[in-house]
Amino acid sequence: MNNKFNWQETLNLTYDRFPEAERRPVIGITANYADGEQRLSEHYYKSVLKAGGVPVVIPPFSDTDSIINILECIDGLILSGGGDYNPLYCGESPSTRLHSINSERDLPELLVTRLAYNRQIPILGICRGIQTIAMALDGHVEQDISQRQGLIKHSQDADRGEPTHTVDIAASSLLRDIYGKDRLYVNSFHHQAVDDAGSKFHVTAQSPDGIVEAIESSEYKPVIGVQWHPECLEEGLPLFSWLVKEAKLFADAKVLHHSILTLDTHCDTPMLFPQGIRFDRREPKALVDLQKMTEGRLDATIMVAYLPQTPSDEYRGVTSPMDYADMIFDKIETIVASRNDYLCIARTPKELFANKRNGRKSIMLGIENALALNGDPSNVKHFAQRGVVYITLCHNGDNDICDSAKGCNTHNGVSRLGEKVIAEMNRHGIMVDLSHAGEKSFYDALEISSTPIVCSHSSSRALCDHPRNLTDDQMRQLARKGGVAQITLYPGFLRTTGEATLIDALEHLDHAISIMGIEHVGLGSDFDGDGGVKGIADASEIINFTRHLLARRYNATDIQRIMGGNFMRVMTEIQTKKNEE
C-alpha cells in the first residue's frame, strides 16, 4: 500500500470542484515578533479559515509605502495579541510594574491600524489588539492594572482554551448582536488595559471589576476590539464570522467603486484655499483632499465657488463677485496643474470617465450663488467657457435672481432678471441648481427652465422640518421634470435635535427614493461647508456609505445611480441639448 501523499490528485480534485476559485475576503493578521522571527499562533489563521476568510500574515515593519500596498490587498484586519506597548507612545514614562515591551511591533501596528482605519477596512483587535486600537486612535491604555484594589486576576496561568472570568455586554452593541447574550465566559491573559476608549469608540463590555473588555466604533464603522482571546475559545468563532462577513461587504464595495464612477455633487473646499490650505496632501482642516478622495475611493467632486450674500463692493477685497469666482477657479486650476498626474478638471461626464480610466481624480466646477454673474445674464457664457457645470441660483438670502429659502420674499419667486439668467443657463448647457431657493422660486424655475433642474445638496423636509429642505411635493415635481435631488450631509438638514449620523442620511435617501424613485436621487455632501456626520465625516468615508447601501440590499445598478449616475444623466441631457442647438 502506497501511503505517500498524492498532491497531484488533490490538485485535480480542486480543479474539478472549483473551475474558478470563489472569491473569499482576505484577512490580514499582524504577526508577533521574537528572537528575530515573526510568529503567529495557529488559532488565528485557523479561525479565519473556519469563518470563511483567507488569512495572510502581516510582518512587523514600519515602511509606510509597503503597509499601504498590503492594505490595498486585504479586506479585513486582525490585530493579534502579544506583549506590552511602550508607554512613550502615549506620552508617559514606563511604570516600574511595566512588563517587557516589544519595540519591533509597536510602531508598525500603530501605523497599520491608523492607515487601515482611514481606509474603512474592517478591524478586529484581540487582547493587545484592543490596546493597539486605543493607542492608534486617540484612546489610552493603562500600563498595569494588577495593583488596583479589588481586581479579579486578569493574567491567568490556565490553558488559553479555558474561560477564567465573565464579561457583561452592553445593550444595543454589535457584540450583543453577534452573541445574542448579555454575558460571556472569556479567558484573560493581560495586565495592560484600555482605560479610555477615546472619541471614536465606546465601551461595550466590562469585567465584574470594571475593566474594559471590549470597545467598538462610535462612527458606524466595522471595528471591534476585545481584551480576551476568542481564537482559543469554543465560543470565539462568531467574532471571526462577523469580521469575515464585514470584510466581504467591504470587498464588494471596493469592486463596485472600481467598476462605477462615484461623484459627490457639492463641496465647499475652495473656501479654504485662500487660507493656504493645499489639496494635494492630507490636510487636517479639510474634509476633501486628494488623499481622502483616494482612501474613500471617490472619483470626482464638484467644487463650488461659494459667494456669501454681501454687497459686491465689499466682496473679499476683489473688484466684484464675478472676479472672486474667477479667482477661486484660478486657484483650482493651479492646484490641478501641479498634480496633473493624479488630478484633472472635467467639464462633461465623458471627461469624468476618461479621467477614471487614466487613473486620475476629477474636479468639476460649480458656483454657489448667482451673485457671481454681477447682475448680467451674458456672463453665463463666460462661466460656461470656464467649464462650470451648475450655478446655484441663490444662497442664504434673496439676491437679484430669486428669493432664498431663508430670504424675505423680495421678488415673490424668480425675478425678471432670474428668468433671463435661467434661459441663458439652458442655452449654454449649465445646470440650474435650486438648493437654497425658496419654494416659490423653486416652482417658478421648474416652469421657466426648458431643461431638468437639480438640487445639488438638499434633504427631506418630511424628516427634518427646515426651510432649506424639499417638501414631498417639491420632490415629486422635480422628478416629474426629470431632475435630481442630492441628499446632503449638513447635520441641521438631517435632524432638528440630537447628533446627525450616517443612518439619518440613509433615512433621508430612502424617503426621497420612496417619493421620487431611484432614478432621481444622489449624494451632495456639502463637505467643508459644515457638511459631514458620524460615519461619513469626510471624503475618506464615502466608501463607508456604499458599504451601508450594500448592507441595506441596494443592488449595484441602484448604487451606481445614487453615487453619481443620476446626476451625470441630467448633466449629459442638458449639455447635449446645448450642443444640438
Side-chain angles (χ1 to χ4, degrees):
M1 181 177 177
N2 184 4
N3 291 323
K4 185 177 179 181
F5 176 64
N6 189 334
W7 64 269
Q8 186 67 51
E9 181 180 335
T10 301
L11 184 64
N12 290 337
L13 284 171
T14 301
Y15 282 141
D16 290 341
R17 290 178 60 198
F18 303 108
E20 222 176 283
E22 178 189 1
R23 173 68 165 87
R24 292 187 288 162
V26 176
I27 309 297
I29 311 172
T30 58
N32 207 340
Y33 182 88
D35 301 325
E37 296 179 345
Q38 68 167 22
R39 297 176 178 177
L40 187 70
S41 164
E42 64 177 353
H43 297 292
Y44 288 107
Y45 62 80
K46 287 185 175 179
S47 294
V48 170
L49 284 168
K50 194 170 182 181
V54 177
V56 297
V57 180
I58 301 177
F61 56 77
S62 55
D63 180 75
T64 52
D65 286 344
S66 298
I67 291 172
I68 289 169
N69 275 276
I70 287 174
L71 295 179
E72 285 296 307
C73 300
I74 67 172
D75 307 310
L77 174 66
I78 292 175
L79 301 167
S80 65
D84 290 346
Y85 261 100
N86 187 333
L88 292 177
Y89 281 107
C90 56
E92 297 178 358
S93 295
S95 159
T96 56
R97 299 188 301 275
L98 181 68
H99 292 207
S100 299
I101 62 174
N102 194 327
S103 59
E104 200 73 24
R105 293 186 68 180
D106 287 359
L107 180 58
E109 290 192 1
L110 293 173
L111 288 172
V112 164
T113 304
R114 174 72 77 168
L115 291 168
Y117 186 84
N118 288 346
R119 284 158 176 75
Q120 322 310 314
I121 296 174
I123 301 173
L124 172 60
I126 293 174
C127 195
R128 171 189 161 98
I130 185 178
Q131 297 159 21
T132 303
I133 291 171
M135 293 277 284
L137 298 166
D138 308 322
H140 186 268
V141 171
E142 186 174 353
Q143 291 186 43
D144 193 295
I145 61 171
S146 62
Q147 300 303 308
R148 284 203 201 173
Q149 293 296 318
L151 284 181
I152 62 175
K153 186 179 180 183
H154 285 268
S155 184
Q156 294 286 352
D157 299 324
D159 181 84
R160 285 181 177 262
E162 182 178 346
T164 54
H165 70 83
T166 61
V167 298
D168 294 317
I169 301 175
S172 303
S173 64
L174 277 174
L175 207 56
R176 176 73 71 89
D177 292 341
I178 290 168
Y179 280 101
K181 56 180 71 174
D182 56 15
R183 176 167 290 182
L184 282 179
Y185 292 90
V186 302
N187 48 19
S188 189
F189 310 93
H190 69 103
H191 64 278
Q192 284 189 332
V194 174
D195 59 357
D196 180 2
S199 61
K200 296 179 174 64
F201 295 90
H202 57 273
V203 174
T204 55
Q206 291 179 289
S207 54
D209 52 11
I211 293 297
V212 173
E213 292 281 348
I215 61 175
E216 61 190 50
S217 172
S218 300
E219 300 182 329
Y220 299 91
K221 297 184 180 184
V223 184
I224 293 179
V226 298
Q227 187 59 71
W228 63 91
H229 281 269
E231 76 280 7
C232 298
L233 295 170
E234 289 184 10
E235 277 199 303
L237 187 61
L239 270 171
F240 291 90
S241 297
W242 166 83
L243 179 66
V244 168
K245 178 184 176 183
E246 291 294 343
K248 176 65 167 63
L249 208 57
F250 180 63
D252 290 344
K254 289 191 296 182
V255 169
L256 186 55
H257 274 239
H258 180 74
S259 62
I260 68 174
L261 192 141
T262 51
L263 170 66
D264 176 3
T265 61
H266 190 90
C267 87
D268 281 297
T269 309
M271 281 199 301
L272 304 177
F273 294 159
Q275 304 172 28
I277 295 296
R278 291 175 57 178
F279 182 77
D280 58 345
R281 66 184 181 191
R282 179 179 291 280
E283 282 282 2
K285 293 182 180 179
L287 301 185
V288 182
D289 57 38
L290 186 57
Q291 184 70 40
K292 294 184 184 75
M293 286 182 71
T294 300
E295 291 168 349
R297 298 170 190 265
L298 175 64
D299 296 312
T301 186
I302 301 179
M303 289 191 171
V304 298
Y306 158 65
L307 292 93
Q309 197 72 27
T310 57
S312 60
D313 58 353
E314 299 176 9
Y315 219 87
R316 302 225 179 167
V318 296
T319 306
S320 70
M322 183 173 178
D323 291 334
Y324 177 76
D326 276 328
M327 178 188 74
I328 291 295
F329 296 146
D330 289 343
K331 287 184 179 293
I332 293 173
E333 288 175 351
T334 299
I335 289 168
V336 170
S338 70
R339 295 309 304 266
N340 60 11
D341 47 346
Y342 295 109
L343 198 57
C344 279
I345 288 177
R347 294 166 175 81
T348 67
K350 185 177 180 180
E351 290 180 2
L352 287 175
F353 284 103
N355 290 344
K356 173 155 184 156
R357 285 193 300 272
N358 292 322
R360 293 181 176 91
K361 302 296 184 187
S362 294
I363 292 176
M364 296 188 120
L365 306 180
I367 292 174
E368 188 171 25
N369 199 340
L371 278 178
L373 299 174
N374 284 351
D376 186 350
S378 68
N379 286 330
V380 169
K381 181 178 180 180
H382 166 77
F383 287 117
Q385 291 172 337
R386 289 217 69 159
V388 168
V389 297
Y390 72 68
I391 298 176
T392 313
L393 295 189
C394 62
H395 194 251
N396 289 335
D398 302 343
N399 60 15
D400 53 1
I401 307 296
C402 70
D403 296 335
S404 165
K406 297 185 73 175
C408 304
N409 198 31
T410 302
H411 310 288
N412 190 31
V414 173
S415 70
R416 293 290 181 88
L417 175 63
E419 291 183 40
K420 295 176 182 178
V421 165
I422 291 171
E424 283 298 290
M425 290 173 67
N426 291 164
R427 192 161 72 88
H428 290 286
I430 294 180
M431 306 167 87
V432 177
D433 176 22
L434 291 177
S435 286
H436 288 285
E439 280 192 61
K440 182 62 165 55
S441 298
F442 175 93
Y443 289 115
D444 286 351
L446 268 183
E447 294 304 314
I448 295 166
S449 180
S450 62
T451 62
I453 63 170
V454 300
C455 292
S456 66
H457 57 304
S458 296
S459 292
S460 167
R461 200 179 301 184
L463 273 62
C464 178
D465 189 11
H466 191 289
R468 260 286 278 114
N469 283 339
L470 299 174
T471 67
D472 287 357
D473 185 69
Q474 284 178 292
M475 288 184 176
R476 290 189 192 95
Q477 298 307 316
L478 183 64
R480 183 175 64 84
K481 286 292 189 79
V484 290
Q486 308 291 103
I487 299 302
T488 189
L489 303 177
Y490 187 89
F493 301 158
L494 293 176
R495 60 185 308 154
T496 53
T497 59
E499 184 178 29
T501 70
L502 175 146
I503 303 304
D504 294 301
L506 288 167
E507 288 175 356
H508 277 259
L509 177 68
D510 287 342
H511 179 78
I513 290 170
S514 72
I515 300 298
M516 305 174 72
I518 192 69
E519 300 86 0
H520 301 282
V521 296
L523 180 69
S525 69
D526 207 11
F527 286 149
D528 291 315
D530 291 329
V533 294
K534 273 192 174 182
I536 183 168
D538 60 41
S540 74
E541 299 185 349
I542 289 288
I543 195 167
N544 195 37
F545 190 70
T546 304
R547 186 180 68 82
H548 278 267
L549 290 175
L550 286 168
R552 290 188 172 214
R553 304 303 178 100
Y554 281 91
N555 61 41
T557 299
D558 289 345
I559 293 174
Q560 181 177 25
R561 289 167 171 159
I562 293 166
M563 300 303 290
N566 290 332
F567 200 87
M568 287 186 287
R569 183 196 72 240
V570 175
M571 190 188 303
T572 300
E573 179 181 342
I574 291 169
Q575 292 178 349
T576 300
K577 183 172 181 179
K578 174 203 71 170
N579 293 331
E580 288 174 349
E581 293 178 351

